[in-house]
Amino acid sequence: MQHKLDHLQFDNRFVDELPADKTTGEHPRQVEDACYSAVIPTPVCGPQLVAYSKEVAALFDLSEAECQSDYFTQVFSGNQLTIGMQPYAMCYGGHQFGHWAGQLGDGRAINLGEVRNQKGERWAMQLKGAGLTPYSRTADGLAVLRSSVREFLCSEAMYHLGVPTTRALSLVTTGEQVVRDMFYSGNPQLEKGAVVCRVAPSFIRFGSFEIHAARQNVALLRELVDYTIRTDFPHLGEPSVATYQNWFNEVCAKTAEMIVHWQRVGFVHGVMNTDNMSILGLTIDYGPYGWLENYDPDWTPNTTDREQRRYRFGNQPQIAAWNLNQLANAIYPLIEQVEPLQNALNLYSKNFVDSYQNMLNEKLGILVFEPETDKKLQDDLLKILVLTETDMTIFYRKLANISTEIALSDEQLIAELLEAYYKPEQLSAGIKTQIIKWLREYIARVQQDKTDDVRRKEAMNAINPKYVLRNYLAQLAIDKAEQGDNSMVNELLEVLRHPYDELPEYQTWAEKRPDWARTKAGCSMLSCSS
């Protein structure tokens, strides 16, 4: 039987043009003078397809029948290699929680190769959870269903929200049992194994460059930077010192754009180490991430970060700047000038602030940012959002319903927002007064733009999602999938394709976090155990 998968056009430039690990085998080791190690996915006993993304399948011109075939399941569980695949694991390092961690690498991700599709686009395919690599250290190279559902759904949810992200083609259970200690509490348990096929133009990270700089291997650092520019930034021209400077400028700009989107939708990555930062400004590595439910700039979903809260929601822009600074340090030997690198870092800060302010105005339905009035309006908004537990996603959707054309009483204004509050009984007279004062100022500002309610609501609802992958929804889908029922994974995938639409039949999935989910494992805090 002919399979479309066997006719994909792999170009595999990464392995063809960059140096390979001279040692073979999956045993853990320090990999010197190489960008990758050849490795074969570990076969599994009983793979079953849980879900696939039809949009990602379309990038490879794969039909529904192809995606539902046993061959597809065998390939994307790691049991079968198609014609043209040359699997490998990348070598990289990274700063973890602010400290240099040395060599890290693809400890449980195996790249299958890079495909040129019919549009001429280049897409790398990567299996996460497909077995041991030289970078697995003391781990097993596997992944469990729990974390794989979260990675698969969030990758696609972020794409449909308009956030730069890696994608997910498929989610397959392996039929294997995997031992995990979910909260590092000394209580390991057997969980269902799973593999996600991730897709991106490139999986190169900040840490890919840091490792060679740390080893003072400037020749290999240059080789990887030149490859990255020629492959993923060809519009910048042939590599040179000037090109390196322009490249770093673009990396800073793309990173700023990504972080603005995170802040727009209330996404908290949870583990913004430099090995989890894409050189293309894509959201990558969906581990202990979470979504702001009640607005709290100090919230992080990662139990490992509970004390320091380094990667809390409100600190993400500053951490991205810190990470870019580490990348600047890594590529300095190629430029040997501080000023252009510092200028790029300054550009990140300016781009972020300007874009962030414009983004907040768009969330409010205000046409143009006016510094003399809008900065205070935005600052005051963020203050009222923390007066009492306020669901960020619902607040902005409800704000769009408030009329700026009809005079409303104080009671009517508050009534429009009531659904956004987790504990409306805590809305004291003092809190209500502050909220109403802000709403009156907001209405007056919108009226200056002379935008009618209909157009403003349309604009606001196009940037403020109704449906996000709320932590408890992901956990409900996981709970069902672990019992062999994949229906909610697929239903959530369908809803998350339309995050800005009303979808009245799925209204319950737009409601705020229920009380039972406030402290339930997987719904409030998560660990890196996956």
Side-chain angles (χ1 to χ4, degrees), residues 289-305:
Y289 69 83
W291 296 81
L292 278 192
E293 296 189 289
N294 58 293
Y295 179 80
D296 178 1
D298 289 331
W299 183 72
T300 175
N302 188 351
T303 54
T304 311
D305 197 24

Side-chain angles (χ1 to χ4, degrees), residues 367-488:
L367 299 179
V368 178
F369 180 74
E370 303 287 353
E372 61 275 10
T373 57
D374 297 354
K375 177 68 166 64
K376 183 177 185 303
L377 188 72
Q378 292 178 2
D379 291 346
D380 289 347
L381 167 63
L382 300 183
K383 290 174 185 173
I384 70 160
L385 287 176
V386 296
L387 291 174
T388 185
E389 275 191 287
T390 308
D391 190 286
M392 173 179 158
T393 303
I394 295 175
F395 178 89
Y396 283 107
R397 292 292 286 204
K398 293 301 179 184
L399 186 64
N401 294 337
I402 289 179
S403 176
T404 61
E405 299 172 356
I406 301 168
L408 298 174
S409 68
D410 291 354
E411 291 76 17
Q412 288 172 316
L413 285 175
I414 289 289
E416 285 285 1
L417 299 176
L418 272 182
E419 279 185 43
Y421 298 115
Y422 280 90
K423 297 180 179 178
E425 68 277 6
Q426 292 183 358
L427 287 169
S428 65
I431 290 175
K432 285 182 180 179
T433 297
Q434 293 180 70
I435 295 170
I436 290 163
K437 179 177 182 292
W438 183 86
L439 287 171
R440 297 288 183 203
E441 292 169 354
Y442 167 67
I443 289 169
R445 175 65 184 86
V446 170
Q447 288 170 342
Q448 289 178 21
D449 282 349
K450 298 182 170 58
T451 306
D452 64 67
D453 284 344
V454 172
R455 283 190 299 155
R456 179 178 60 91
K457 180 174 180 176
E458 285 178 357
M460 290 175 71
N461 285 353
I463 191 173
N464 296 315
K466 178 171 181 175
Y467 298 95
V468 295
L469 185 58
R470 292 178 178 271
N471 313 314
Y472 81 91
L473 292 177
Q475 190 58 45
L476 288 174
I478 290 165
D479 290 345
K480 283 193 171 185
E482 287 178 337
Q483 300 303 313
D485 179 355
N486 302 326
S487 61
M488 190 168 175

Side-chain angles (χ1 to χ4, degrees), residues 201-213:
S202 170
F203 286 99
I204 293 175
R205 303 127 186 283
F206 290 11
S208 303
F209 307 96
E210 287 184 284
I211 188 67
H212 305 309

Side-chain angles (χ1 to χ4, degrees), residues 75-122:
V75 168
F76 294 113
S77 65
N79 276 359
Q80 178 85 38
L81 296 177
T82 69
I83 297 168
M85 288 182 175
Q86 291 178 265
Y88 63 93
M90 283 187 183
C91 178
Y92 49 83
H95 282 83
Q96 298 194 322
F97 297 95
H99 303 284
W100 177 243
Q103 177 181 295
L104 298 166
D106 285 333
R108 60 192 173 127
I110 296 177
N111 303 271
L112 298 175
E114 296 86 49
V115 176
R116 284 272 184 195
N117 69 10
Q118 290 188 2
K119 294 179 181 177
E121 299 166 334
R122 191 168 175 277

